Amino acid sequence: SSRVRGESTETGFVKLAVALNTSVSFYGRWMMLRLKADWNPEDSSSDRVLKSGSLIYVDAQSFLDFSKAKEDGNANAIKEAGSKLDYHVLFEPTDSQSYAGYSTTKNYLILYVLDDVKEQLKFFKIGKDGGPFELIGGDEEGKIQSVSASGVDSMESDLLWLTTSSYTEPSTLHLADASKCGEHVVSKLKSLPHMYDSSELEVSQHFATSKDGTKIPYFMISKKGMALDGSTPTLLYGYGGFEISLGPRYASTVGISWLERGGVYVEANIRGGGEYGPQWHQSALKENRNKCYEDFIAVGEHLVASGVCSPKTLACRGGSNGGLLTGNMLVQAPDLFGAIHIAVPLLDMQRYHKLLAGASWMAEYGDPDTDDWNDFLNKYSPYHNIDEAREKYPPVLLTTSTRDDRVHPAHARKMVKKMWDLGEGKEWPVFYYENIEGGHGGAADSKQSAFMTSLSYDFMWRSLTSGDVHNL
C-alpha cells in the first residue's frame, strides 16, 4: 500500500508515492526514505521489495517526477519516469541491527546503528558530483553509550558537534571531524558534572529468553565484584511500547537514589519498543501485547536465576505505558517481585479509550468496543485481573497526578480502591499518592519532582530491605 505525502515544488505540491508511515528527508540531491513497512515501489522498473526498517535513498527530482506522473494517472508518463528511478539501500536491518538516525556535514553522512542496542557510527562520503554514498569506515563493534551529532556548519565544513553519554558518564561535548573517520574526535570540549560516584560500578549487557524463545537484551549497572547470592536490592525498569527505545543515558537520579546505596539497576529492552526497529514494536501490538509482559518476566527470572537477586530483593518500576507493564507484573507475576511501583498508569483497558487521549492509542492496544476486548484486551487489563482469592500481593505503590491530561488518574484511583476493598483482612500492602499538580510527568516543578522520585525509590528500597511493609 502507499501513503500520500506532500512535497512542494516550483509548480506546487506533489503527492509522494511512498510506503505507509515512511519518513522523508533530503541530503544534497537525494531523497532519504526511512521505511516502517516492507515496500514494493511499483515503479514499472523493478519488482524489488524494500525491507521495513531500511534507510534508502533515491534521486529527489526523479522521484518527484514519478510521483507527479502517478498523481496525474498517465500510464506512459509513469512508465517513463519509473524507468529512471534507482533506489539505493544505505542501511538494511538484520536480526541484530537497526537504524537509529543520521547526521550530515558538507560531504559526509554519519549513520547511527544499534547493534544489539549498542551504538555504532558508520561514515559515508557523498560520491563524486553528488553521486551515491560510499562507506569509508566506522565502528567495528557497538558501544554501550548514546551518541548524537550535528554539523558545526553543514553547508561549509565537515566539523561536528559530537555528544556522548552512558549510564555512568554524563553528557560530554566533543569537536569532531567527519573526514577523519576512525580518529574523528578532535578534542573534548566540555562535560556535565558527575552527579554520583560511579567509580566502583560496571555496566554489562545480558540476554534472557522469553516464553516464545526470543532473546531479550537488558543492561545492568552493578558494583564490580558483586556477590551473586541473591541478596542485592535490584530495580528492573521497562517501557515496551510505541517504538520507544531504552538505552544508555546518564543515570543521575538512579545513581543517587539506588546505585550509591549498593543496589543494582536493570533496563529491559522488551518488545514493543524500537530497539530492533519497527518490527520489534509491531511484534507486540494488540493481540500480541502479551509478549511485552512475557519478555519482562523473562528478564526478572533471569536475574533471579543468575543470583543477582531473589524475588524478595527484586523491584520493578514503570510509568504511563510502563505503568500498564508493571500493573501486569502485579497481577501476572506477583511472586516474582518484592516491590512494584506503578506510575501514571493505564490499568482499566476496557475504558481507556474513553478517557482523555486514550482513543489515540487504539492502534497500539486495540479497540475495547469490538471483539478485541474478549479476544485479548481483557487478558492484560490489570484492573480486571486482580485475584481476590490471593492472600498475599507484594508491596505496591501507585502514583498519579490530579491534572494528568494524558492518562486519566481514574486508572490509578479505581485500581487502588478495588485492591483496598478486595484486600480487606489480607496481606495486600497497597500504597497510593496523588499529586494535585503536574501533568503526565506527575510533578509541576523540580521540588515536586524530587519529592516524587524520593518517594518512589525509598518505597522500593525499604520494601526490599526492611521486611516490614506496614511501616514504610
Side-chain angles (χ1 to χ4, degrees), residues 88-371:
H88 305 268
V89 177
L90 191 73
F91 173 81
E92 184 173 87
T94 66
D95 289 342
S96 65
Q97 292 190 334
S98 65
Y99 167 80
Y102 74 86
S103 300
T104 60
T105 67
K106 182 179 181 181
N107 298 295
Y108 293 85
L109 182 148
I110 301 90
L111 180 71
Y112 310 125
V113 175
L114 290 181
D115 186 5
D116 279 330
V117 205
K118 294 178 288 187
E119 193 121 23
Q120 287 183 328
L121 297 183
K122 300 292 185 183
F123 289 78
F124 294 83
K125 186 176 183 180
I126 198 164
K128 184 178 180 181
D129 298 324
F133 294 100
E134 302 170 9
L135 176 64
I136 62 169
D139 297 325
E140 293 296 326
E141 295 182 352
K143 300 175 183 178
I144 304 178
Q145 65 175 15
S146 67
V147 181
S148 62
S150 61
V152 174
D153 185 345
S154 295
M155 301 297 292
E156 298 295 334
S157 80
D158 292 316
L159 294 177
L160 289 163
W161 303 121
L162 188 71
T163 303
T164 62
S165 67
S166 70
Y167 289 112
T168 57
E169 293 295 327
S171 296
T172 301
L173 178 65
H174 308 265
L175 181 64
D177 189 338
S179 67
K180 298 179 179 179
C181 176
E183 298 181 356
H184 52 276
V185 175
V186 176
S187 61
K188 174 181 174 181
L189 300 178
K190 197 169 185 179
S191 178
L192 291 176
H194 285 265
M195 302 303 293
Y196 71 98
D197 183 6
S198 60
S199 59
E200 296 300 317
L201 298 177
E202 61 182 0
V203 181
S204 55
Q205 186 184 45
H206 308 268
F207 291 82
T209 303
S210 194
K211 185 177 180 179
D212 64 358
T214 303
K215 298 295 183 182
I216 308 301
Y218 66 89
F219 292 110
M220 183 171 75
I221 304 95
S222 60
K223 279 195 171 183
K224 299 172 183 176
M226 174 186 62
L228 297 176
D229 59 6
S231 65
T232 307
T234 301
L235 172 56
L236 174 59
Y237 178 81
Y239 187 78
F242 298 93
E243 205 176 334
I244 294 174
S245 301
L246 299 183
R249 69 201 185 287
Y250 190 51
S252 56
T253 300
V254 174
I256 295 169
S257 304
W258 197 263
L259 295 171
E260 282 194 337
R261 290 177 169 182
V264 171
Y265 177 66
V266 177
E267 281 191 352
N269 305 114
I270 61 177
R271 281 173 284 186
E275 288 88 345
Y276 288 96
Q279 63 274 19
W280 195 245
H281 170 232
Q282 293 163 9
S283 67
L285 295 177
K286 296 183 177 180
E287 68 272 16
N288 293 316
R289 200 67 180 185
N290 59 293
K291 293 180 181 179
C292 299
Y293 313 129
E294 292 166 2
D295 293 355
F296 200 72
I297 290 170
V299 172
E301 291 175 340
H302 193 261
L303 291 167
V304 172
S306 302
V308 173
C309 58
S310 68
K312 291 182 178 180
T313 59
L314 177 61
C316 68
R317 180 175 189 246
S320 191
N321 175 74
L324 175 60
L325 168 67
T326 52
N328 273 289
M329 292 306 100
L330 177 66
V331 297
Q332 292 188 23
D335 296 326
L336 182 59
F337 299 97
I340 298 176
H341 178 204
I342 303 171
V344 291
L346 290 93
L347 296 169
D348 179 357
M349 299 307 289
Q350 190 172 32
R351 288 184 49 79
Y352 83 92
H353 63 312
K354 299 181 184 297
L355 300 171
L356 299 178
S360 65
W361 306 325
M362 287 194 289
E364 188 84 7
Y365 302 123
D367 183 353
D369 289 337
T370 67
D371 289 342

Side-chain angles (χ1 to χ4, degrees), residues 338-458:
I340 298 176
H341 178 204
I342 303 171
V344 291
L346 290 93
L347 296 169
D348 179 357
M349 299 307 289
Q350 190 172 32
R351 288 184 49 79
Y352 83 92
H353 63 312
K354 299 181 184 297
L355 300 171
L356 299 178
S360 65
W361 306 325
M362 287 194 289
E364 188 84 7
Y365 302 123
D367 183 353
D369 289 337
T370 67
D371 289 342
D372 290 356
W373 172 251
N374 288 323
D375 290 347
F376 56 85
L377 260 171
N378 72 92
K379 298 174 184 177
Y380 63 81
S381 179
Y383 179 74
H384 295 90
N385 284 285
I386 300 169
D387 184 1
E388 59 183 298
R390 281 190 69 91
E391 287 298 318
K392 184 178 181 179
Y393 272 113
V396 56
L397 170 66
L398 292 96
T399 57
T400 187
S401 167
T402 307
R403 296 179 180 271
D404 191 333
D405 57 358
R406 193 174 308 174
V407 178
H408 201 288
H411 285 276
R413 293 170 181 167
K414 291 166 61 176
M415 186 77 169
V416 169
K417 181 64 167 64
K418 187 173 183 179
M419 292 196 73
W420 280 347
D421 289 346
L422 295 178
E424 185 72 30
K426 302 173 185 176
E427 195 173 342
W428 289 18
V430 181
F431 301 86
Y432 181 64
Y433 188 89
E434 180 174 323
N435 191 19
I436 63 172
E437 296 182 303
H440 191 50
D445 53 35
S446 296
K447 183 177 180 180
Q448 291 182 14
S449 180
F451 172 78
M452 297 298 290
T453 299
S454 298
L455 179 70
S456 170
Y457 284 98
D458 281 356

